[in-house]
Amino acid sequence: MPGIGPKRAMALEARGIATVGDLIFHLPVRYQDWRERSSAKDLRAGNIVVVEGELGKISERPMRGSRWRRLASGWLDVDGRKIRVVWFNLPAYMRGYLPGGERVLVRGRVAAYADGGIEIVQPELHRLSDGEPKGIRPVYRLPSIVGQRLFAGLIMRALAEAGDSIGGAMPDELRAEVPTIRDALTYLHDPPPDADFDALWNGESRGHRALAFDELFAFELALSIERMRSARRVGIALDGSQSLGAKMIEQLSFNLTGSQARAIEEIGADLARPNQMNRMLMGDVGSGKTLVAFWAMLRAIECGHQAAMMAPTELLAEQHWRGFARICGRLGVRHALLTGSVTGAARNQVLRGLASGEIGAVFGTHALIQERVRIRGLALGVIDEQHRFGVFDRAKMKALGPKANLLMMTATPIPRSLAMSLFANLDVSFLDEMPAGRTPIATEIYAEQDIERVHDSLRAEIGAGGRAYYVVPFIEGDEDEAKSVSATAARLKKGALRGARIGTMHGRMSAAEKDHAMREFRDGAIDVLVCTTVVEVGIDVPEATIIVIVAAERYGLAQLHQLRGRVGRGEKASRCCIVGSSDADDVALERLATMRECTTGAAVAEADLRLRGPGDLLGARQTGALPLKFVHLIRDHRTIERARKLADEWIARDPSLASRESEGARAAVRKMLALGFSLGDVG
Ligand code: ADP
Ligand code: MG
């Protein structure tokens, strides 16, 4: 394309823009509003303005202390008021303005400048001799050697010349009022002057929504096709004698919850069939997923096969292994632990036991899917906290036993209907009931000024033999030192919690260090664990009775809920102290207050969808793992369900997407399947 030589082509390619298709799907990251002009008297420091005026001569001089920067400045006359305009290095498009005397529009942020004058630093200019500017101008994220204007020009040209060949996944007859992909792209790259600027800015315009809808339609079709494919895959049927699982349940000191019993029934029916099971077990933190997994593992073992369970951390793997030993130890099943810390002769023994088939149940971390591991007859793989694993990890787990059944578990709080759409390639079981006898967790909301009251509670709790988590947002060297793990621990040691045994844990520690800290906490060698959110994965320390979460407005409700779930696991009453920062805004604090009412994962998920906080599990952390470029799971959650319905209807009419109307869908689905899914993909 004109203006793009080898250098720029390379720079663009490095950003993933290599074809005309890449170009037109490279959406603006922001927009500039040029529609309203400010008058001279509106020019107050801090405002972003567009003003019309006459530009005087611009002079350039080298900047002191910089070899390559040149300071360019000049005066803009706006109705007689003089405004200084300044650039560090003049943009290329402005070279021709140097002589001065042009009528221009200037856009930028007004700043106060010495002796009462005002200036605009690094403004954008539009020459009125070129006619009126676009009312809403897109801004792209680009390599520095590709200018905004050049790029916008390329896009306009691409849309004009290639526009007819831009098709979407959705067949025309389903599209109804939804704009076509071509219209959506035109809207986004070249918004009409009457476009809703806020919607564009927030990524909620009709253009954004149309792209998301089309993408979701393709995604849902791909999930359906994936599901049909996997239903045909041969699996190991586990339909032999059935006694171990029943014995395990008999020996429990408690009764299964109704939903545990239902999940076990669903899984049992799946396992008995000669097709591979691909099932997701969803349940709130503490709902008792592990026990259901143990039952399924016993099923595999009593049928003469083996079962493996993979967890994201050593500590969790060890917790499962110990739990299995405690609950299933008397059933005569050989079990083993395989993590990075199991080395030397012990490791070789485990590897041999797995290869020969002597070990029935193995628990481990990523160590399970390393090259040297062979399992003789794997009939069931369980992946705990599945969202913490990538597509390739899951694929490797499958490779351990090509005909093995797969059970994935997650506590990600998603409303059921949304889960059904997002995991439509899988069967889903829900644990939506908490075991009886849990003492509910009291949730208390505090302002930062009242932190001493929180510390009083902490002291009381520790004095009574409890243990505490103290969650802070930063690690040493981050933006706010005072709220870092080490500074907080030091402060508590010297002050409020003098005499208490305080440990620390954060994400920049090695896995071994984290494990060590967690172990000390579990075994009672420390009373208080000052930590970042790394603590949130399914750790079960029943003695922990209080969790303090500082700067809580930084987290999504779902994440707060997961953190809260670290306590309330024993018989004693527990509390969760949520502390909002002094500079948090009212909306954020109101959001925190809802945590008091939302005590279940389902309620939290609903509230999260309504209130849309930062860092929500679903939005921020998980969209990146899906082959979805234009979808925001929270923003688009209603669309997701609609897309699911439409995809279902369409696939029922045209299961192989062979018709002419399915042409676009076929192409989009093929692309999607090639990228692979991740939220529970088992491709
Ligand atoms: P999660 O679903 O978060 O992984 P776990 O499986 O770790 O939850 O279970 C949390 C705790 O609840 C464990 O200590 C477990 O033994 C216990 N538990 C599981 N099922 C029941 C039940 N039906 N009644 C009482 N306690 C249970
Ligand atoms: Mg768990």
Side-chain angles (χ1 to χ4, degrees):
M1 299 192 79
I4 302 296
K7 260 196 179 155
R8 285 190 172 128
M10 252 164 61
L12 286 172
E13 195 163 354
R15 303 278 179 113
I17 306 169
T19 66
V20 171
D22 300 332
L23 183 72
I24 53 178
F25 281 102
H26 189 73
L27 301 187
V29 281
R30 273 180 292 122
Y31 290 89
Q32 292 178 347
D33 196 344
W34 288 74
R35 292 173 301 184
E36 283 188 26
R37 294 179 199 173
S38 304
S39 64
K41 61 181 189 328
D42 296 332
L43 300 179
R44 267 185 299 276
N47 288 355
I48 291 178
V49 296
V50 177
V51 283
E52 182 177 338
E54 192 172 306
L55 187 63
K57 183 172 157 44
I58 290 177
S59 58
E60 275 189 289
R61 60 183 161 79
M63 261 175 82
R64 224 180 309 158
S66 169
R67 244 181 308 151
W68 53 276
R69 286 186 138 188
R70 290 166 67 79
L71 190 73
S73 64
W75 292 95
L76 181 72
D77 184 317
V78 182
D79 305 333
R81 189 167 175 193
K82 295 269 194 221
I83 299 169
R84 197 168 96 110
V85 281
V86 186
W87 291 266
F88 308 107
N89 281 355
L90 209 55
Y93 73 87
M94 284 199 45
R95 295 281 160 208
Y97 289 72
L98 293 175
E102 290 249 15
R103 283 301 291 173
V104 295
L105 291 177
V106 166
R107 183 180 182 283
R109 190 183 292 280
V110 181
Y113 139 76
D115 56 29
I118 53 172
E119 66 178 357
I120 300 181
V121 179
Q122 213 69 20
E124 288 238 15
L125 248 94
H126 178 87
R127 221 183 206 146
L128 282 169
S129 59
D130 291 341
E132 278 294 304
K134 264 189 197 169
I136 298 176
R137 190 182 281 179
V139 181
Y140 298 93
R141 190 169 292 141
L142 293 173
S144 58
I145 58 168
V146 180
Q148 294 288 339
R149 287 164 202 234
L150 170 65
F151 192 79
L154 294 180
I155 292 214
M156 290 297 89
R157 188 173 169 143
L159 281 175
E161 288 179 14
D164 286 337
S165 60
I166 305 170
M170 215 184 303
D172 288 335
E173 59 170 293
L174 294 188
R175 187 168 290 281
E177 81 288 10
V178 180
T180 63
I181 298 302
R182 182 187 189 171
D183 288 346
L185 288 171
T186 305
Y187 187 91
L188 293 170
H189 288 299
D190 185 17
D194 62 348
D196 179 345
F197 186 81
D198 291 336
L200 275 170
W201 180 273
N202 295 329
E204 294 180 343
S205 71
R206 48 192 294 259
H208 289 103
R209 287 176 185 282
L211 290 185
F213 198 7
D214 201 75
E215 189 170 45
L216 280 166
F217 179 73
F219 178 63
E220 293 296 339
L221 281 180
L223 290 179
S224 296
I225 287 170
E226 179 54 35
R227 186 194 177 94
M228 291 192 284
R229 278 188 194 169
S230 66
R232 287 195 296 266
R233 268 184 220 128
V234 177
I236 300 175
L238 301 172
D239 55 0
S241 73
Q242 299 201 24
S243 58
L244 285 184
K247 271 192 203 144
M248 176 193 84
I249 292 169
E250 244 166 61
Q251 290 177 9
L252 291 173
S253 58
F254 46 75
N255 292 324
L256 293 182
T257 64
S259 45
Q260 278 173 321
R262 191 166 359 96
I264 281 176
E265 207 165 286
E266 287 167 356
I267 291 170
D270 265 9
L271 291 177
R273 276 192 285 271
N275 305 88
Q276 248 171 34
M277 173 174 84
N278 283 306
R279 189 170 279 274
M280 175 77 79
L281 179 59
M282 301 191 76
D284 208 353
V285 282
S287 59
K289 296 184 287 294
T290 320
L291 201 63
V292 174
F294 286 175
W295 183 91
M297 292 173 83
L298 291 175
R299 197 81 261 279
I301 294 160
E302 67 192 345
C303 293
H305 303 277
Q306 291 164 284
M309 180 161 173
M310 181 162 74
T313 65
E314 293 210 351
L315 201 77
L316 207 53
E318 199 185 307
Q319 178 177 300
H320 292 327
W321 173 64
R322 284 175 188 234
F324 188 83
R326 197 176 62 238
I327 295 173
C328 309
R330 274 165 294 176
L331 302 174
V333 176
R334 274 200 58 193
H335 48 86
L337 177 70
L338 186 64
T339 65
S341 310
V342 178
T343 54
R347 181 180 181 81
N348 285 331
Q349 201 182 346
V350 173
L351 291 180
R352 269 200 309 276
L354 290 175
S356 69
E358 279 162 72
I359 295 175
V362 64
F363 298 83
T365 52
H366 278 96
L368 279 175
I369 50 176
Q370 303 309 312
E371 239 155 70
R372 286 185 49 214
V373 181
R374 296 274 175 282
I375 301 183
R376 184 153 176 263
L378 187 73
L380 174 70
V382 181
I383 303 181
D384 190 24
E385 307 285 348
Q386 69 85 25
H387 61 277
R388 302 257 313 212
F389 292 95
V391 197
F392 294 112
D393 296 331
R394 280 189 280 265
K396 282 186 199 155
M397 184 83 178
K398 292 230 79 170
L400 275 174
K403 290 186 184 172
N405 298 285
L406 203 62
L407 179 65
M408 285 158 284
M409 308 202 285
T410 185
T412 306
I414 315 179
R416 187 182 282 240
S417 56
L418 187 54
M420 299 301 273
S421 304
L422 284 178
F423 301 120
N425 56 332
L426 307 172
D427 295 304
V428 188
S429 294
F430 293 92
L431 297 188
D432 43 15
E433 228 176 306
M434 281 302 203
R438 290 279 160 85
T439 37
I441 305 165
T443 301
E444 301 161 8
I445 313 290
Y446 293 91
E448 199 172 350
Q449 303 82 280
D450 299 329
I451 194 83
E452 285 314 317
R453 274 169 52 211
V454 175
H455 291 162
D456 290 343
S457 302
L458 265 180
R459 267 195 304 276
E461 211 69 45
I462 295 166
R467 275 170 231 162
Y469 295 101
Y470 199 108
V471 182
V472 297
F474 301 119
I475 304 176
E476 207 175 2
D478 284 349
E479 57 194 273
D480 187 351
E481 198 73 39
K483 284 179 185 161
S484 73
V485 170
S486 51
T488 306
R491 208 166 50 239
L492 291 173
K493 257 182 213 158
K494 273 192 262 145
L497 301 181
R498 198 189 313 240
R501 294 165 303 169
I502 298 177
T504 59
M505 183 166 87
H506 58 73
R508 256 180 253 150
M509 287 176 158
S510 69
E513 287 170 319
K514 275 188 282 195
D515 249 48
H516 179 74
M518 208 54 230
R519 234 175 271 276
E520 283 197 317
F521 185 68
R522 180 191 67 194
D523 300 339
I526 54 179
D527 306 310
V528 183
L529 187 62
V530 179
C531 52
T532 54
T533 52
V534 290
V535 75
E536 89 187 33
V537 172
I539 287 300
D540 199 22
V541 181
E543 294 83 3
T545 51
I546 181 165
I547 181 164
V548 177
I549 307 167
V550 166
E553 73 283 354
R554 306 180 67 91
Y555 309 115
L557 297 183
Q559 205 176 357
L560 289 174
H561 181 67
Q562 301 256 18
L563 286 168
R564 179 167 60 184
R566 297 305 103 225
V567 298
R569 300 181 151 251
E571 269 147 31
K572 285 208 238 164
S574 293
R575 58 217 286 196
C576 170
C577 303
I578 293 180
V579 185
S581 301
S582 47
D583 56 1
D585 61 41
D586 291 350
V587 178
L589 294 177
E590 237 166 81
R591 209 168 50 81
L592 292 181
T594 57
M595 284 301 287
R596 250 190 318 235
E597 284 85 57
C598 298
T599 54
T600 64
V604 165
E606 289 294 342
D608 233 357
L609 290 181
R610 234 177 330 105
L611 304 168
R612 254 196 256 165
D616 45 77
L617 282 184
L618 204 51
R621 237 188 287 166
Q622 297 204 325
T623 331
L626 292 168
L628 298 174
K629 207 170 150 203
F630 304 116
V631 175
H632 185 291
L633 294 184
I634 300 278
R635 177 196 71 193
D636 296 320
H637 76 279
R638 302 239 175 270
T639 316
I640 295 172
E641 288 158 34
R642 251 177 81 208
R644 173 82 231 144
K645 279 207 192 79
L646 285 184
D648 271 347
E649 279 169 37
W650 194 256
I651 208 91
R653 271 171 56 183
D654 186 8
S656 52
L657 300 181
S659 70
R660 232 176 54 78
E661 295 77 43
S662 291
E663 224 168 274
R666 198 160 60 236
V669 165
R670 193 173 297 141
K671 227 159 131 194
M672 200 74 84
L673 288 172
L675 285 170
F677 310 113
S678 190
L679 251 186
D681 164 48
V682 288

